[in-house]
Amino acid sequence: MVRQLVTYPNDVLCENARPVQSIDDYIKELADDMAHIMYENRGIGLAAPQVGEGLRLVTIDISGPEKREELMVLVNPEIVEKEGEAESEEGCLSVVGYKTYVKRADKVRVKATDLEGKPVEFEADDLLAICLQHEIDHLDGILFIDRISRLKRKFYDKKLTKWLKNKND
Ligand code: NI
């Protein structure tokens, strides 16, 4: 299957993703595709809804698209603990042409299943903590632009409308 990056506005990005029931070939292939699309687009994280699949699956590699040393595939990930506060600049492969500062927890504890079906639980801070919160938000239909001020959001929506109009004219 040829999957492609889905960009805002699109319904699949605003919906609650379904839990993965069993880690079969379909899910493994989806994870492969997601990692590929993430690296191709120079991202450090991707959630299944971003490739049009409403499933609770994310790929993350904070070592970046060149190194590709820390690929993490998480099935049904959930944040079980949060601590502190951090504000950092975020962007999203599904939100074209916009980056801004978002407030999040500074440390998180995450529970998930790996691609072999083994339960994993770990703590993360800094960039990984931010990335995990951003990607897990996608599974709940939340984009980083849903976490910014109304004014900033209006500004982005206006900019996007103009941009899409110019593109289609
Ligand atoms: Ni994103």
Side-chain angles (χ1 to χ4, degrees), residues 45-47 50 90-95 134-135 138 142-144:
L46 199 73
Q50 294 184 271
E90 293 184 29
C92 176
L93 294 180
S94 293
V95 179
H134 178 117
E135 299 315 328
H138 273 299
I142 300 167
L143 299 172
F144 80 97

Side-chain angles (χ1 to χ4, degrees), residues 8 25 41 55 60 67 90 121 125:
Y8 170 82
D25 288 349
N41 290 280
L55 287 163
I60 290 176
K67 286 193 176 168
E90 293 184 29
E121 188 172 340
D125 55 15

Side-chain angles (χ1 to χ4, degrees), residues 120-134:
V120 290
E121 188 172 340
F122 60 94
E123 258 175 31
D125 55 15
D126 296 327
L127 181 59
L128 183 57
I130 301 297
C131 198
L132 283 160
Q133 291 170 86
H134 178 117

Side-chain angles (χ1 to χ4, degrees), residues 62-169:
I62 57 163
S63 77
E66 277 91 29
K67 286 193 176 168
R68 308 184 181 194
E69 279 168 351
E70 290 168 48
L71 179 64
M72 204 182 244
V73 178
L74 301 173
V75 180
N76 301 330
E78 51 177 315
I79 292 169
V80 290
E81 261 178 64
K82 281 183 180 187
E83 208 186 293
E85 207 177 83
E87 197 174 21
S88 57
E89 197 178 42
E90 293 184 29
C92 176
L93 294 180
S94 293
V95 179
V96 178
Y98 192 61
K99 274 186 179 171
T100 195
Y101 283 81
V102 183
K103 265 187 203 156
R104 304 226 184 236
D106 154 63
K107 250 188 197 174
V108 291
R109 186 167 188 83
V110 170
K111 256 189 190 170
T113 302
D114 70 13
L115 259 197
E116 275 72 57
K118 203 177 78 196
V120 290
E121 188 172 340
F122 60 94
E123 258 175 31
D125 55 15
D126 296 327
L127 181 59
L128 183 57
I130 301 297
C131 198
L132 283 160
Q133 291 170 86
H134 178 117
E135 299 315 328
I136 293 171
D137 259 0
H138 273 299
L139 306 181
D140 296 325
I142 300 167
L143 299 172
F144 80 97
I145 49 173
D146 295 321
R147 295 199 179 275
I148 61 179
S149 73
R150 207 180 291 172
L151 199 68
K152 276 192 187 172
R153 174 61 180 264
K154 244 191 197 156
F155 168 80
Y156 176 67
D157 281 334
K158 246 188 203 161
K159 191 173 135 176
L160 183 72
T161 308
K162 223 187 238 171
W163 184 73
L164 288 173
K165 195 178 165 284
N166 287 340
K167 212 176 95 180
N168 295 330
D169 274 352

